[in-house]
Structures are given as structure tokens and as C-alpha cells.
Amino acid sequence: MYRTKDEIFAELGLEDRNPGAFAGGWLETTGADLEVENPATASTISTIVRASADDYEQVIAAAREAFPRWRMLPAPKRGEYVREIGNALREHKEALGALVALENGKIRAEGEGEVQEAIDIADFAVGLSRQLYGFTMASERPRHRMYEQWHPLGPVGVITAFNFPVAVWSWNAMIGAVCGDPIIWKPSSLSPLTAVAITRIIEGVMAGSGLEGVFGLVVGSGREIGDRLINDQRIPLISATGSCGMGEKVGAAVAKTLGRRSLLELGGNNAVIVADDADLDMVTRAVLFGAVGTAGQRCTTIRRMITEPGITDEATKRLAEAYRQVRIGDPLDADTLMGPLIDEAAVGNMMTAVDLAKQQGGTVVAGGKVAEVEGLDGYFVEPTIIRIDRDAPIVGEETFAPILYVIEAEDVADAISIQNGVEQGLSSAIFTTSLQKAEMFLSHEGSDCGIANVNIGTSGAEIGGAFGGEKATGGGREAGSDAWKAYMRRQTCTINWSGELPLAQGIEFG
């Protein structure tokens, strides 16, 4: 088991100082230094030399040079490269999971789970490489055949957030690659080491193929590199995960050029509805993981628990007891259930939200403070439960921290209205043993989110379904189902194999 930085770095080929750009080979980057911090100790663990504008151009050039050959490689052959990448991730799963814990602060089990998600999506993409189907349609004209087909789109820019430094990239990269698209990855500056480690793993897979430029990496600031990427007309698709504010900026930049696309995965002010007939043992376990996992730093974190009358007190009591048993500490320790927040600013944002909730009439039921962890000077907080009124402005905001607001509704219909009454629309859930209440929640008058679950929490989505949300969440879809279509361009084709030239709609001309 990898427990020290030196063990993790040795396994993954990392150094105390690493280049921040890969363009078919590692560049001697010339940008400013980026110090990577361990949030559990608030200490620097490595330095990455950021990419400059010139370095960025080399990454783009490598992707564009690789594209004509990559797109003409049969999709199942592209799938074979993805299979090898998935197998390489399997070999390094434990070390990568430990690196995520070291750099990101989520516990080791969640870090390894995230790597497993990347392995799973690689397996999914291998099968998908033989299933990039188009429809055949009946033509109204005799001896004509009409069908649609899908072509590779081109180099795809993938901007990932700090909280999922492996999984979000994999949803885009593995699917985009089998679709024939090179990938240009800009990771968060809060968790870039994992991106460097994964790119080194991929380098070993692609070495000698002549296609090394298919998987590029560019580490840099939003101002220097991010703005350049989202405004680059040579990149037909930008897939970006982050805050709603970031998504607004990306969407506006991409929309300025006709034909370019954005795939946005943004905020999620997710709610769990607890009906008065719910199994409270299930509720307690689900909400504990959904609200406390990753220290509340998931886009699918449970941020609101909306209850029917008569069950609020008991549900809240059980959760508060469970919260008091959460072990906070070193994320590399197997006994830890919650690690630190990502940085000092995140702690400040959480404490500000707690103060605002109190000012708006909320009552802290559990937590609400900065946590002291013996031997560690990191960014630790107590997981927090606050009972509050539905109209408190703070419940409409997404604080990226382990704060759960408990709100009482009149009935399930009212609970659905409260749930839907926020700007975001990512994930949602209801706990009930009533078929009628469950079906109401899933109906046209029910949840307005991209994900709607019954008797499971809001987080931990499987890769087989399309992942994404509505409203301010951005409307994008990644991972499974037919999300692959975002990475390709559709073409409708008609072939006339008759000796005549009939026109559609029965038009006679001449």
C-alpha cells in the first residue's frame, strides 16, 4: 500500500519538479512555477512548470497533426489503444488512487474508486468503438437510399475541475478517442499532478505508434491557457467541468464562433426528498455518503434534504448521530472517512455560508466549525447539518463544502417544488416505499434534473448512463448511453441508384 509521497511518485514517474505540457513528447515548459499543495498538510509536494503561450501552440499543433491519421484509423483499432490505456490504469490503480488522496484530499477508497471509473469507461469505450451507429431512413423516392453517419469532430479541449482529476477526463478522453478525436487536457491548477501522472501512463501506451499527439496535456492558468483554449477556433468542442460562472464564460466564448460546441458540466444544488414512509436506515446511510463524501466537494453532493412533516425530527436526529461518528483526518489513512477541503479559500467559503445560514434563521444541528486534526495543519472542517426555512437565500446557493440543509415541506408535491426551485438541475433523489410518490417524482411534473433516483442518493452515478444536468448545470451529457454523439458530427446521406432524377415532395421542375 502506497503511504508516502516518495512511494507514490516513484511508481508514477513523478518528480519534485515536472513539465506542464505534453505534445507527443514532454516539452521544456517555460511558464511560471505552480506549487502543488497537499491539502491535508498545507505543504507543497511538487512543482509544475506551467505551459506558456508558445507551449500551448505546440500542444495544439501535435493534436492537429495527429488528427488526419487518427480519424482514418478504423474505430475498433482506436478502441484497441483505449483498451491498452485502461489496462495500464489497472496496473497503477492503487498508486493513482493514493496520488488523488495526496493531491486532492479525498479518501483513498474514493481515489481508487475514481480510477476504477476511468477503467470502466475505457472498457465501455472499447465496446462503443464497434457501435458508432447511424440510422437508415426510408426515402420517398424510388431506388434511393437515405442514411446518416457520424464523423470525427476534431481536437477536443477538455477542462477538468479539481475534485475529479481522473474520472471527468476519462469520460471525455476515452469516448472522444474512439470517436476519432485527439484530446487536449487542461486540468485544474489545484490538482494537476494526477494529470501529469496519467499522461505519463498514456505515453507508455502510445510510444512508437506515430500517434503520440492524440493525448495532449497543457497545465496553465485560466488567464494564460484557459482563455486561449476556449477562444481557439481550431478546437471544435470544449468540454468544461466547473462552476456555473466558469461555464457562462466558456459558453459565451464558444458561441461567438458558429459551428463550435461546448459541453458543460457545472454546479449542482442537489436535493434528497424524504417521504414519510421512507426507510430511515437507508436514508441515513445514503445521505451520510452523499453529503460527506469527498468532503462535500462533488457536483452531485447532497446539499438539501427535504422532508415530509412527521419525519423531519427523526431523520435529522439519526443523521446528526452518524455525523458525530465521521472520522476526519489523513485521507491516506484507511480509517479516515472525510479528508480536508481543497484549500484555505474553501474553508473560508464554508464558514461564511454557515454564518449566513445562522443569520437567515438556520439552526446548526451538527458540525459548523473548523476541525482540529492532531498532527496535521490542513484544511479540515466538521461536516455540518443546518435546519433552515425553505425561503432562506443561502439554500439556493451551492457551497462546495459538507453543509446539508434540512428543509421541511408540506407533502411530496411541495417537496418537488422546493427541490426544483433552484437554478441548478443536476442530480436528485427520493426515498419512499410508495409507488405513487416515486412515479410522481419521475413524471413530467416531478424532478427537473438530469439525474433522478429512487431510494439511492444523488452521487455515485454509473458510467453506463449519460451524466449531466439541466438549467444552470449546463445541459451537457458525458459518459454512457448516446453521449458519444457530442464528440462527432452527423451527416445525412442520400444515394440515387436509379436512372431517373425524381425530386422530393413530388416537385416537377422543367
Side-chain angles (χ1 to χ4, degrees), residues 307-491:
T307 58
E308 280 199 281
I311 203 169
T312 310
D313 290 345
E314 181 63 20
T316 306
K317 176 185 174 183
R318 291 188 183 206
L319 267 177
E321 291 173 352
Y323 269 47
R324 283 187 274 272
Q325 298 173 46
V326 171
R327 294 181 296 277
I328 305 169
D330 183 354
L332 285 169
D333 188 330
D335 292 329
T336 297
L337 285 182
M338 193 181 95
L341 294 182
I342 188 65
D343 59 13
E344 188 174 6
V347 176
N349 290 339
M350 176 174 172
M351 294 302 108
T352 298
V354 171
D355 288 342
L356 284 172
K358 291 176 182 177
Q359 294 170 24
Q360 295 169 15
T363 301
V364 176
V365 177
K369 302 174 184 175
V370 172
E372 299 292 334
V373 177
E374 186 177 355
L376 296 173
D377 295 322
Y379 308 116
F380 296 96
V381 295
E382 297 176 350
T384 300
I385 301 172
I386 301 176
R387 286 190 66 164
I388 198 165
D389 186 78
R390 69 176 72 193
D391 295 324
I394 192 67
V395 302
E397 300 178 14
E398 182 190 28
T399 303
F400 227 53
I403 301 176
L404 177 71
Y405 299 112
V406 178
I407 304 165
E408 188 168 88
E410 296 174 2
D411 53 28
V412 167
D414 185 41
I416 292 171
S417 177
I418 295 171
Q419 176 205 281
N420 293 347
V422 296
E423 293 182 354
Q424 307 88 350
L426 178 53
S427 190
S428 59
I430 188 171
F431 279 81
T432 182
T433 55
S434 164
L435 177 63
Q436 184 180 33
K437 291 176 180 179
E439 290 294 341
M440 178 194 299
F441 177 75
L442 298 174
S443 73
H444 298 327
E445 63 181 358
S447 170
D448 65 359
C449 297
I451 298 169
N453 298 329
V454 176
N455 292 329
I456 60 172
T458 60
S459 58
E462 297 182 41
I463 57 95
F467 179 90
E470 300 300 324
K471 303 189 296 187
T473 299
R477 293 298 186 273
E478 296 170 330
S481 186
D482 65 348
W484 61 270
K485 293 180 179 179
Y487 305 88
M488 305 195 80
R489 58 183 178 88
R490 185 197 307 252
Q491 186 175 74

Side-chain angles (χ1 to χ4, degrees), residues 21 27 33 50 54 71 130 188 206 212 244 246 248 255 257 265 278 290 302 321 378 413 431 450-451 462 464:
L27 304 181
D33 284 359
R50 291 185 176 105
D54 288 342
R71 69 183 175 187
R130 296 179 182 271
S188 166
M206 303 299 290
E212 294 86 353
C244 293
M246 182 271 277
E248 290 174 359
T257 306
E265 298 287 358
I302 299 172
E321 291 173 352
F431 279 81
I451 298 169
E462 297 182 41

Side-chain angles (χ1 to χ4, degrees), residues 13 26 43 58 67 94 123 137 154 205 221 226 258 261 273 302 319 328 334 338 357 378 436 440 458 467 496 506 510:
W26 290 99
S43 61
Q58 292 188 61
F67 177 50
E94 187 179 323
D123 288 346
M137 290 76 75
V205 171
S221 69
L258 296 177
R261 312 174 189 174
I273 295 172
I302 299 172
L319 267 177
I328 305 169
M338 193 181 95
Q436 184 180 33
M440 178 194 299
T458 60
F467 179 90
N496 177 7

